[in-house]
Amino acid sequence: MATPAPVPTRMEIQITGIRKHFAECVTEQDGGEMCDACSSDWDSPLPTNAWIRAHADEKGHTKFKKHTEEDVTTFTKPATAK
């Protein structure tokens, strides 16, 4: 009995959560230390932008990093012929 040929597979990525938006202040302060203040996580970028504006107004800081994060999982499934 012949061994069947392996079935071609492909790796899939599935988003398993809601995208999170947050920001951190990376403004260098006196003494060379970074501010490192971080916003909360939101499911929209708009509150992140508002946090950046408010932090900049309050502290006078000017350098920020915006982050987007998604929870994902991977799985393998049979490849389909085209």
Side-chain angles (χ1 to χ4, degrees), residues 2 5 10 12 19-20 24 29 36 39 44 47 55 65:
R10 68 180 204 185
E12 293 284 329
R19 180 177 291 144
K20 296 181 225 173
E24 66 177 318
Q29 299 179 325
D36 288 334
S39 72
S44 164
H55 186 79
K65 286 187 179 181

Side-chain angles (χ1 to χ4, degrees), residues 59-73:
K59 302 289 184 178
H61 294 174
T62 58
K63 296 195 185 298
F64 298 85
K65 286 187 179 181
K66 288 174 71 175
H67 303 276
T68 304
E69 187 176 283
E70 289 180 323
D71 293 330
V72 298
T73 57

Side-chain angles (χ1 to χ4, degrees), residues 10-76:
R10 68 180 204 185
M11 183 65 67
E12 293 284 329
I13 296 174
Q14 180 179 23
I15 298 170
T16 56
I18 296 172
R19 180 177 291 144
K20 296 181 225 173
H21 301 268
F22 60 99
E24 66 177 318
C25 179
V26 294
T27 302
E28 189 174 317
Q29 299 179 325
D30 296 335
E33 303 250 341
M34 296 294 180
C35 172
D36 288 334
C38 288
S39 72
S40 297
D41 295 341
W42 292 285
D43 60 0
S44 164
L46 297 177
T48 308
N49 293 343
W51 180 87
I52 290 171
R53 286 187 196 97
H55 186 79
D57 285 346
E58 180 184 339
K59 302 289 184 178
H61 294 174
T62 58
K63 296 195 185 298
F64 298 85
K65 286 187 179 181
K66 288 174 71 175
H67 303 276
T68 304
E69 187 176 283
E70 289 180 323
D71 293 330
V72 298
T73 57
T74 60
F75 61 94
T76 302

